[in-house]
Amino acid sequence: MNGRTMTVHHRPSAKFLLPVVSLSFLLVSTAASAQTLTMQQLLSNNIEQRFGMFIHYNMNTYKPGWAENRVDPKTFAPPSGDCHTFTDQWAKAAKSAGMKFGILTTKHHDGFAIWPSKAVPPTTSPYGTVAYTIAQSAVPTMDVVKCYVDSFRAQGLDPNLYFSIWDPNNGIGSQAGHNTDPGPVDWNVVGTYITAQITELLTNYGNIPVFVFDGYAWLTGHQQVPYQKIRALVRQLQPNTIIVDHDGAVPWEVDMEYFEEPLGVTVPSGNTTAGAQGQTIAKDKNWFWRSTQAAAGYMSASDIAKEIKNTESNYTNFILDCPPNLQGLLEDPVVTALGQVPQYWTPNTARAPLPQQLPKIEVPLTPVSATATSGSAALAIDGYNDSIKGVNNTMHSSQGESLWASTGSLPQSVTLNLGKSYDNIDMLEYLPQRNTGTTVGNITSYKVYVSTDGATFTQVATGTWPADSKNGGLLSAQRVQFPAQTAQYVRLEATAVAGGGTSAIIGELAVGSSGLTGPSSTGGAGGSGGVSGTGGVGGAGGTSGRGGVTGTGGGSVSLDGSADGSAADRGREGTDGAGASAGGAVDASGISAGGAGGAADAHGDGAGGAGGSTTLKGSGGAVAAGGVVAGAGGTVGSGGSSSTGGVAVAGAPAVSGGSAGASVVGASGGASGGNAGGSSSSAGTNGCGCDLGRSNGGGGMLPIIAIGAVLSLLHRRRRHSG
């Protein structure tokens, strides 16, 4: 988990000196936030906070409802022109209660952003591409997110953020007016919008320790909005951020579990899995403020303390929702109750440290399809957490679980198709049934096979699981870890099940990498070129993120992990234009998969035809003087050879598929082929699949700073010399 740093060295020709100097300093700021703690350390530190404030403040404060339709944005109208006047009150009240953090609803299900988002709504929006943000409200110059992070940091509190993936008013998961009705999600249409907004939140407001998603696993699903891409983007932008999925109630594709108490989902006694439990202080159970709340009343300080003591003993933070009113302020009884909490509760310093957490997939791979020996294999990879206590299960018209169930005699199996081959696959996770009231059918004996062609399979693991997969009281995914493999297909075969029957049950299956080095693709057909637009994540070729996954022939990925599309966002180099054909253009750092000679200029703009030249690019066509070549040794992808002046990325994986140019190998820190900083990638149908190099040895960011300073000095001397 730790040690994820990017080392890039540039030695440009004079012609490209100034742009590369700027990029060198850009890379310093981008990579300076590399993960410095293991996930165990991050979770241990977070669980020590114990108590925090959930702040539901958004359009639903002013217009009661739940994402039914857009309302006039001017309905959002706090009377004060300076949001610090109320965010300061929130922070002071939180501090008085002994809280250590906050969580703010930056965008709830109705799609209204309380920061001036520049993202353009997708074409699926029933309201067109008209923005729906605070910039269109009665207070157009206000940025509530900025005020909030300022106020909480001033009180020494962590400013965490909440973001709803589900957004029916922008056509994400369902349509406006239909609320929770099922609705397909076209990632190629909505991906740019989602990733652009996440990028803004994790770029513009400093360190965000916890990022909470909602309307995700229970409404849009982790497949329709690919968790592989979302997680890679978060890791790229803020590697130390803990990812939480609201209303999950099982540790599945999250860093920390969340329990939604108003739905009756609470932490089990004896739990040892890092978690957070949310409850609202309003006795009417509304998360947002209502004019009737005062009459219904609020939790007392002693009631709040009882809740904290229960969650604290079970390694779960208590998150108390305190909804601001129309003025943006907490009601007086809320402030009073919070101030009295320390009379009834102080942290239990005798509690033992958080137990070692189970290993899990750190770099997930999203299957493109699945097959089975019997039953509906799609139900094993639909990406829903199947919470019967949730709002609904989007793929199915009623509440309940979507389970793969085999028929006939054992063995029975499900085979995942990842769309292309990836290196370093070393873990499979199996989520059994959750809410059926039985363990009959849960897989208790298994075999795991892998294949690169879907025809010849090799067994890589065999073992047993208990029928009841409780871990410290909490239902947990079963997992099996095996030696790193290269595969496009991964098969789980059930050889025995609980209850003595023959029908095997699977809630969800996931595969990926559990270690420091994420999978990289090796071969397979080229991707679609990715999603266009700022912050968009690469298409079928995959996302290149810190510890992320790189697709062979996939969409190009910029320095912030976004795909080819709109122009640079806040100084981060994006790729512009229509997006590269199979392979995609490579950005200025040589990260991502190069096309078959696709042209791209210094900003990563556009995609050219076969044989086109690249400027400041690592692969795909001839590299101009000063170009950066991804891969130790300066090997470039198919389409041409690099010219002199190209500098290899230290710690990046070697790339096969093109001729080596006269490149200079960068500073040490990654073994040849990238084994110390990401596995090597082989050429696919078009171009190469290049990982984001992570140097575990020397190097780090100091060489970039030094090179930037030297280049700047040389540039000044060149200017003075005429």
Side-chain angles (χ1 to χ4, degrees), residues 182-400:
V185 178
D186 187 342
W187 176 251
N188 290 324
V189 175
V190 306
T192 298
Y193 183 66
I194 294 171
T195 55
Q197 289 199 321
I198 294 172
T199 299
E200 289 175 343
L201 291 171
L202 295 180
T203 301
N204 299 346
Y205 302 102
N207 180 45
I208 305 300
V210 177
F211 200 79
V212 180
F213 290 110
D214 198 1
Y216 196 0
W218 57 271
L219 206 95
T220 63
H222 281 188
Q223 301 292 355
Q224 294 193 83
V225 178
Y227 188 70
Q228 170 183 341
K229 298 178 185 294
I230 296 297
R231 186 176 180 88
L233 178 61
V234 174
R235 286 287 178 263
Q236 171 72 6
L237 298 173
Q238 298 236 12
N240 286 317
T241 292
I242 293 171
I243 298 174
V244 177
D245 196 344
H246 199 277
D247 195 31
V250 67
W252 179 258
E253 294 193 318
V254 290
D255 297 326
M256 185 169 69
E257 191 43 65
Y258 179 80
F259 306 94
E260 187 170 357
E261 189 175 345
L263 293 179
V265 183
T266 58
V267 60
S269 178
N271 175 62
T272 57
T273 300
Q277 182 167 310
Q279 173 64 292
T280 175
I281 196 171
K283 289 185 176 180
D284 65 4
K285 302 303 181 184
N286 276 308
W287 291 103
F288 285 94
W289 178 86
R290 296 288 180 266
S291 60
T292 57
Q293 278 182 352
Y298 301 97
M299 291 175 65
S300 67
S302 60
D303 289 338
I304 295 169
K306 289 177 183 177
E307 292 266 20
I308 304 171
K309 290 175 183 177
N310 178 61
T311 58
E312 179 184 36
S313 63
N314 289 295
Y315 297 100
T316 295
N317 290 336
F318 185 59
I319 307 174
L320 183 64
D321 180 53
C322 300
N325 60 23
L326 300 178
Q327 288 72 45
L329 296 169
L330 304 179
E331 298 280 4
D332 289 342
V334 173
V335 175
T336 299
L338 292 177
Q340 294 172 347
V341 169
Q343 299 177 26
Y344 300 92
W345 171 81
T346 55
N348 177 14
T349 57
R351 186 185 70 179
L354 178 70
Q356 183 66 39
Q357 301 296 282
L358 292 176
K360 56 181 177 290
I361 294 172
E362 297 295 347
V363 186
L365 295 172
T366 303
V368 299
S369 63
T371 57
T373 51
S374 63
S376 177
L379 298 178
I381 61 164
D382 59 18
Y384 294 95
N385 72 355
D386 296 321
S387 174
I388 200 169
K389 294 182 179 179
V391 176
N392 77 355
N393 185 295
T394 309
M395 290 290 286
H396 310 278
S397 59
S398 62
Q399 294 183 0

Side-chain angles (χ1 to χ4, degrees), residues 84-179:
H84 287 102
T85 59
F86 48 84
T87 61
D88 283 351
Q89 186 223 26
W90 305 347
K92 291 175 182 176
K95 183 78 169 182
S96 73
M99 293 175 169
K100 300 297 183 183
F101 62 90
I103 300 175
L104 175 66
T105 55
T106 65
K107 188 187 77 167
H108 205 250
H109 309 320
D110 56 14
F112 184 77
I114 57 173
W115 79 97
S117 175
K118 299 295 190 287
V120 177
T123 55
T124 52
S125 169
Y127 302 95
T129 57
V130 177
Y132 192 47
T133 78
I134 201 168
Q136 289 79 48
S137 75
V139 285
T141 62
M142 185 177 286
D143 183 344
V144 177
V145 177
K146 178 64 166 60
C147 290
Y148 157 75
V149 298
D150 287 348
S151 297
F152 271 65
R153 288 191 181 117
Q155 293 294 330
L157 308 176
D158 279 349
N160 304 319
L161 301 179
Y162 160 112
F163 176 84
S164 177
I165 291 280
W166 176 47
D167 183 350
N169 290 320
N170 286 304
I172 303 171
S174 56
Q175 291 294 319
H178 293 274
N179 205 316

